[in-house]
Amino acid sequence: GESVGLHLPTLSVQEGDNSIINCAYSNSASDYFIWYKQESGKGPQFIIDIRSNMDKRQGQRVTVLLNKTVKHLSLQIAATQPGDSAVYFCAENDYGQNFVFGPGTRLSVLP
Amino acid sequence: SQTIHQWPATLVQPVGSPLSLECTVEGTSNPNLYWYRQAAGRGLQLLFYSVGIGQISSEVPQNLSASRPQDRQFILSSKKLLLSDSGFYLCAWRFGDTQYFGPGTRLTVL
């Protein structure tokens, strides 16, 4: 079946550095992509989204890049802070009810 | 603004006991609602979704059931829990194309 996955299960970065979290998806019909942040013991929190007619979208300190040619999605966090430590999920949707989530990447910010 | 609530936050139940988890949404009407389960270190698995009162769709065969007795209420149930039902249960609602999640319920079946 279709799936969304992540290249790196864990990522450690120095505070102040930029972080890049990657995600691969396999459903070419997916039209909408979301990044979520999940802190320990809490529900996922929406960070940023992007549609398939775009290749880049920026938020506050975050940027999502979409490469439809290779079915790749990335989340860039600028000037990573200790509060950014969490598990980050990508998700994809093809207009249906089913959102497919990857297993997540754990981001650890080192002092 | 919209808010989604789940309770209880934590639950420890013996094998074979019943289960009832509740999810309610405030600040919106006729939302699409979803139940997910998250096993440790794994992604989210969609269990059920509902587009309206009394309308339930199941994504995977399982020991669980769902009901939607009111517009903004979504309930996850089981008559007899299994060890494999342990996990983190998340309710979500859909606004446009985006899903927003509740705080979750940590269920441990012993």
Side-chain angles (χ1 to χ4, degrees):
Chain A
E2 303 294 354
S3 65
V4 176
L6 295 172
H7 296 308
L8 298 174
T10 60
L11 176 66
S12 296
V13 298
Q14 290 294 137
E15 182 178 353
D17 288 351
N18 297 334
S19 303
I20 300 176
I21 301 171
N22 296 303
C23 179
Y25 65 96
S26 58
N27 184 359
S28 57
S30 293
D31 177 76
Y32 180 62
F33 303 88
I34 309 171
W35 278 102
Y36 289 93
K37 172 186 180 183
Q38 186 175 24
E39 296 177 90
S40 181
K42 298 183 179 180
Q45 176 186 1
F46 172 89
I47 301 174
I48 192 168
D49 58 0
I50 190 169
R51 296 197 177 279
S52 60
N53 61 351
M54 303 173 68
D55 53 20
K56 181 179 181 179
R57 191 168 188 215
Q58 289 183 293
Q60 187 177 9
R61 283 201 306 119
V62 294
T63 301
V64 54
L65 299 177
L66 175 62
N67 186 331
K68 294 181 288 294
T69 302
V70 295
K71 298 193 185 83
H72 184 267
L73 190 70
S74 69
L75 176 70
Q76 300 179 3
I77 304 173
T80 310
Q81 302 170 359
D84 295 327
S85 294
V87 175
Y88 290 80
F89 298 92
C90 61
E92 53 98 358
N93 180 256
D94 60 356
Y95 288 116
Q97 293 293 343
N98 197 4
F99 287 72
V100 178
F101 295 82
T105 292
R106 182 172 300 280
L107 175 65
S108 295
V109 181
L110 306 174
Chain B
S1 63
Q2 298 83 9
T3 308
I4 183 167
H5 302 279
Q6 286 186 247
W7 63 88
T10 306
L11 190 61
V12 180
Q13 292 284 94
V15 169
S17 64
L19 173 74
S20 181
L21 302 182
E22 189 164 344
C23 170
T24 59
V25 182
E26 296 179 357
T28 186
S29 59
N30 197 31
N32 285 2
L33 296 173
Y34 305 80
W35 277 113
Y36 287 90
R37 176 169 55 207
Q38 184 178 35
R42 300 187 66 180
L44 300 173
Q45 179 189 31
L46 179 63
L47 302 175
F48 301 95
Y49 69 88
S50 171
V51 298
I53 296 174
Q55 300 180 63
I56 307 294
S57 296
S58 175
E59 288 296 305
V60 293
Q62 58 201 304
N63 183 45
L64 302 169
S65 62
S67 62
R68 187 165 176 179
Q70 300 181 40
D71 181 43
R72 288 172 286 179
Q73 184 184 35
F74 203 20
I75 297 173
L76 184 69
S77 304
S78 175
K79 293 182 179 179
K80 289 185 178 182
L81 283 168
L82 306 172
L83 286 174
S84 58
D85 291 323
S86 293
F88 192 48
Y89 287 84
L90 289 158
C91 181
W93 72 284
R94 185 169 183 167
F95 179 73
D97 291 323
T98 306
Q99 284 193 342
Y100 296 92
F101 289 87
T105 295
R106 172 74 60 192
L107 172 65
T108 303
V109 182
L110 302 175

